[in-house]
Amino acid sequence: MYEFLGCKVKDAMTVSPITATPDTPLGTLEQLFEAHDFNGIPVLDRQGRLVGLVTKFDLLKAFILTTDSPAPRYTDIINLPASSVMTTNPETVSPDLPLSRLLQQLVEMRTKSFPVVENDRLVGIISREDVLKALHRTTISP
Amino acid sequence: MTTLLYNHPVCAEHDMGHGHPECPDRLKAILAALKHPEFAHLQWREAPEATLEQLTRVHPARYVERILAAVPRHGLHALDGDTALSPRSGEAALRAAGAACAAVDAIMAGEANNAFCAVRPPGHHAEPSRAMGFCLFNNVAIGAAHARAAHGLERAAVIDFDVHHGNGTQAAFETQPAYMYISSHQSPLYPGTGRRSERGVGNIVNVPMPPYSGSEDLREAWTTFMEPALRGFQPNFIFISAGFDAHRLDPLAELNFTEEDYAWLTREILDLAAEFCAGRVVSTLEGGYNLQALAASTAVHVRALMDAA
């Protein structure tokens, strides 16, 4: 009955997630968010190292009213690179982290997803939805 | 007496490109509202082009020449990321500035008490040597300078209730004690100026308002800062930078004013105008980007002008 406590991040994460580069335009990220049901896109450099995470919130922030312009210049903004809005050095988790601890972190940090990193390589991404699915799988009898 | 309405068809031909919020439809919406029978007593007049003499009281001659020379024969010429010229922009800008001067002349000649200039491009972001924020020439500052230079009036006040701070008007007047500039505006917001500490030579009164400020905050701003400043200045002529983008439906800001707030504020300004300067008021259009809210707010503003005339 405590099967969930035996789960690790690697049992519930999405492997080989879609990624972006620091140069990926915000317009492309917008299309990815529209086409896929995820909250954050890991950003990898040319060597494949994780350098950032762009969330839907980061993308929205790019379009707010600022003191620079009376109206957001939408066409200029969608051509900005991912590096201009991404969260650099995002919090990451290990694939071997117990899922119960990951759940704790998601709640305490109000985060929607974490990149999963092993030996400096991105191996997956884990989200609120993934944890909910694992809870469903391990606590509700078929 | 009479309220004058200055306009010219070319002001609706200045076009900064598809989807730009400062669009010809703004003026069309306002004019459609002012053609309602309720406004039958408005006296419509054609806005003349401002003269070089009128313009250069605020802008250096080489700036005026540079703007007019940049007007394209076809297409658009961008002055910055927000502001562009189309083939009719030069004439529209000259008539937008000329309207304020002609309105001053008519009022000083006793032909009317007050006037509304339904013109574009707007003006209050235009600094003496810099076009920005959809503005080319500073219409209200040019009108105020005209009142002093051509009619010998001592003190001219500008009240600016556009949601954005009128950095251009402040820049034009901040060293000249014969002018007072009073602005309520959202902060933070474009263009980032308008802090309370920006006081010029004691003649600049900035009342920044945080996002989501509404009717009660406006009344407090007026009673606490704006009215006492205007009263202390004892203007001989009052100008209004009438932007309606602090309306709760406007897409470019986050204040929550209503039509009734604009009617109320206009009446308050007119009461002081009656007390200090025989009701002499020229109001000129600035911003306002929700067409319905803009038309309705302008209508109550002009209604208040007519009721006082």
Side-chain angles (χ1 to χ4, degrees), chain A residues 65-74 76, chain B residues 21 81-82 133-134 189-192 252-253:
Chain A
L65 294 168
T66 69
T67 57
D68 296 333
S69 173
R73 297 174 201 151
Y74 297 100
D76 293 345
Chain B
D82 309 305
F134 316 159
L189 194 66
Y190 180 84
L252 293 191

Side-chain angles (χ1 to χ4, degrees), chain B residues 93 224 226 250:
Chain B
T224 311
M226 301 165 79
D250 197 273

Side-chain angles (χ1 to χ4, degrees), chain B residues 27-59:
Chain B
L27 210 48
K28 291 173 188 167
I30 287 172
L31 296 180
L34 296 181
K35 281 175 181 158
H36 189 273
E38 180 193 351
F39 298 99
H41 294 299
L42 262 182
Q43 198 178 112
W44 291 56
R45 292 197 178 179
E46 188 172 275
E49 291 187 10
T51 64
L52 190 62
E53 184 187 10
Q54 291 167 345
L55 294 164
T56 53
R57 292 183 186 123
V58 171
H59 302 284

Side-chain angles (χ1 to χ4, degrees), chain B:
Chain B
M1 282 272 275
T2 307
T3 294
L4 303 176
L5 181 85
Y6 281 87
N7 174 247
H8 192 281
V10 78
C11 290
E13 293 180 43
H14 162 63
D15 188 343
M16 295 195 282
H18 178 71
H20 197 292
E22 206 292 278
C23 60
D25 283 350
R26 298 179 61 237
L27 210 48
K28 291 173 188 167
I30 287 172
L31 296 180
L34 296 181
K35 281 175 181 158
H36 189 273
E38 180 193 351
F39 298 99
H41 294 299
L42 262 182
Q43 198 178 112
W44 291 56
R45 292 197 178 179
E46 188 172 275
E49 291 187 10
T51 64
L52 190 62
E53 184 187 10
Q54 291 167 345
L55 294 164
T56 53
R57 292 183 186 123
V58 171
H59 302 284
R62 64 181 180 283
Y63 171 80
V64 175
E65 288 157 12
R66 181 161 62 80
I67 293 293
L68 296 179
V71 173
R73 289 192 178 187
H74 310 283
L76 292 176
H77 175 84
L79 295 172
D80 67 13
D82 309 305
T83 315
L85 299 169
S86 65
R88 304 306 302 276
S89 299
E91 185 184 342
L94 289 173
R95 291 190 187 274
C101 298
V104 167
D105 291 340
I107 290 168
M108 293 309 293
E111 297 165 24
N113 287 78
N114 57 41
F116 181 71
C117 303
V119 292
R120 43 185 297 281
H124 73 153
H125 294 307
E127 295 182 349
S129 295
R130 186 183 180 200
M132 59 183 279
F134 316 159
C135 301
L136 303 177
F137 300 137
N138 196 313
N139 309 320
V140 80
I142 290 164
H146 183 69
R148 281 189 16 89
H151 298 282
L153 297 177
E154 262 186 65
R155 292 176 304 280
V158 176
I159 299 168
D160 184 339
F161 54 68
D162 187 281
V163 80
H164 303 97
H165 178 244
N167 58 295
T169 314
Q170 177 170 305
F173 293 154
E174 62 191 348
T175 62
Q176 302 184 63
Y179 298 95
M180 173 164 273
Y181 175 67
I182 302 173
S183 174
S184 62
H185 48 269
Q186 180 181 321
S187 177
L189 194 66
Y190 180 84
T193 51
R195 290 188 298 276
R196 206 182 290 280
S197 58
E198 296 165 22
R199 296 184 44 80
V201 287
N203 64 333
I204 305 293
V205 180
N206 284 314
V207 189
M209 305 176 86
Y212 314 113
S213 300
S215 306
E216 287 183 18
D217 306 290
L218 172 65
R219 280 156 176 77
E220 190 182 333
W222 171 258
T223 311
T224 311
F225 301 106
M226 301 165 79
E227 187 198 12
L230 198 58
R231 200 171 268 289
F233 184 64
Q234 302 197 353
N236 304 118
F237 209 117
I238 295 178
F239 293 83
I240 301 176
S241 264
F244 298 99
D245 39 9
H247 192 282
R248 64 188 176 85
L249 294 179
D250 197 273
L252 293 191
E254 302 151 282
L255 293 194
N256 287 322
F257 293 3
T258 64
E259 286 91 336
E260 175 47 36
D261 293 329
Y262 289 117
W264 173 82
L265 182 56
T266 308
R267 288 193 297 268
E268 291 289 317
I269 295 168
L270 288 163
D271 284 350
L272 284 189
E275 191 175 333
F276 290 109
C277 50
R280 291 190 289 263
V281 171
V282 170
S283 173
T284 188
L285 181 66
E286 301 286 0
Y289 305 98
N290 174 297
L291 297 185
Q292 201 180 347
L294 172 65
S297 302
T298 306
V300 299
H301 176 65
V302 172
R303 180 76 250 168
L305 289 171
M306 291 172 71
D307 289 346

Side-chain angles (χ1 to χ4, degrees), chain A residues 51-137:
Chain A
V51 291
L53 182 73
V54 177
T55 64
K56 289 177 180 168
F57 185 70
D58 293 326
L59 194 58
L60 288 174
K61 277 197 295 186
F63 293 91
I64 62 166
L65 294 168
T66 69
T67 57
D68 296 333
S69 173
R73 297 174 201 151
Y74 297 100
T75 47
D76 293 345
I77 294 169
I78 60 168
N79 288 318
L80 290 174
S83 58
S84 65
V85 302
M86 69 185 187
T87 301
T88 52
N89 302 316
E91 288 286 335
T92 62
V93 294
S94 149
D96 292 317
L97 185 72
L99 215 46
S100 58
R101 290 201 172 209
L102 183 275
L103 185 152
Q104 202 75 14
Q105 272 179 260
L106 282 172
V107 171
E108 285 172 2
M109 298 174 68
R110 307 183 76 89
T111 304
K112 290 193 170 167
S113 56
F114 287 106
V116 185
V117 171
E118 185 174 38
N119 299 326
D120 288 336
R121 312 300 297 180
L122 180 79
V123 294
I125 189 158
I126 187 152
S127 68
R128 292 178 181 179
E129 290 77 11
D130 296 326
V131 179
L132 281 169
K133 277 183 209 156
L135 281 167
H136 179 85
R137 201 170 57 236

